[in-house]
Amino acid sequence: MIVRSGARTDLAALLDARHPGARAAVIADTNVAAALGSPLPAAPLFTFPAGEANKSRATWADLTDRLLAARYDRHSVIVALGGGVTTDLAGFVAATLLRGVPWIAVPTTTLAMLDAAVGGKTGVDTDAGKNLVGAFHPPSAVICDPATLTTLPERSYREGLAEAVKHAAALDYQYGGWIRLNAASIVRRDGAALESLIRRSVELKASVVAEDEHEDDRRAVLNAGHTVAHALERATEYAIPHGEAVAIGLVLETRVAERMGVARAGTADQVAALLTAVGLPIAPPPLDSASLLNAMLTDKKNRAGVVHAALLASFGTMARHGESWTQPLDLTVLAKIMER
């Protein structure tokens, strides 16, 4: 992984070094394509309509059909230029095109740099839920250019910071302290602070993924907050951006964990304070709790129809449930918290 201001200019050299002679195709949504253009002027740009609603099997089919029509072969490489939607979608195109071709991630959002581009999870959403069709297919390289983040709208920039808070809350108490001390610099997009933030979050996530690439065990801790988050996205038809949903989900799940006796008292307040410091919401909009609970029934972590979640034990430490890193979530408690 390359993390450096101006790092996007390294892409051509990296491509030649990692995949000499490969024919490249750049995939980006229409917004990123209009704003940034292609980082490889000689490579065709394959675009799709921006938005989570277009992270779909229909878009995947369209992109793969266009690549095949353009006669891309197994010596091709896909370049994913964009945010989390593009990273997931283009990675899935690469995972499935001709039974798998390599790809390089060039994330352009906070969310993609801190999370989506790391770990090799690729996929698309379906009517049944988020990310229910996909594959594990790690990129051959990731190029993070913090300077790109200065171009993002404020809301888009801040939503990705939820993943940094999640990494701290799940894995590293001291990292949480660093975020708290540097919150003002992070919010104003200071270059040095952003490089440190990206590097530490990537280190933490990569260390977990290295232990458990296919999420058979400890990698589940990276789903802290996501059981509620994915349900919030689906119940609001993705009106809540993913990062904001993760922020809200992390607080709600931790409040439930405290009531269940799983998390230490006060942990949810610690999480909420850190999220607030970087300008993220900590409570959902008015929402019928029944619609949220119904949306949780298709979560990938569920077992035998029982909703499971990865829960904090304290800030910086995840709870274990026997041999598992997830456990049943008390939906009655969640409903009561939602009603309040």
Side-chain angles (χ1 to χ4, degrees), residues 103-139:
W103 67 293
I104 293 174
V106 186
T108 61
T109 66
T110 326
L111 186 63
M113 290 185 191
L114 298 180
D115 184 57
V118 184
K121 281 187 178 181
T122 71
V124 295
D125 303 336
T126 73
D127 290 341
K130 189 176 169 73
N131 298 326
L132 295 184
V133 174
F136 291 98
H137 189 55

Side-chain angles (χ1 to χ4, degrees), residues 68-195:
L68 291 170
R71 299 189 182 280
Y72 278 83
D73 58 28
R74 297 191 72 182
H75 300 285
S76 305
V77 61
I78 302 297
V79 175
L81 176 70
V85 168
T86 299
T87 303
D88 287 355
L89 176 62
F92 188 49
V93 168
T96 50
L97 185 71
L98 301 167
R99 293 198 176 100
V101 298
W103 67 293
I104 293 174
V106 186
T108 61
T109 66
T110 326
L111 186 63
M113 290 185 191
L114 298 180
D115 184 57
V118 184
K121 281 187 178 181
T122 71
V124 295
D125 303 336
T126 73
D127 290 341
K130 189 176 169 73
N131 298 326
L132 295 184
V133 174
F136 291 98
H137 189 55
S140 64
V142 180
I143 296 179
C144 293
D145 184 348
T148 307
L149 302 183
T150 63
T151 67
L152 295 177
E154 189 66 24
R155 188 178 188 185
S156 297
Y157 168 70
R158 291 196 188 195
E159 68 153 320
L161 300 177
E163 291 292 342
V165 174
K166 181 201 74 178
H167 292 146
L171 301 167
D172 188 346
Y173 180 89
Q174 291 184 333
Y175 182 38
W178 181 87
I179 294 173
R180 187 162 48 252
L181 288 173
N182 291 276
S185 296
I186 293 167
V187 168
R188 70 170 179 266
R189 311 189 205 192
D190 174 78
L194 285 179
E195 284 199 28

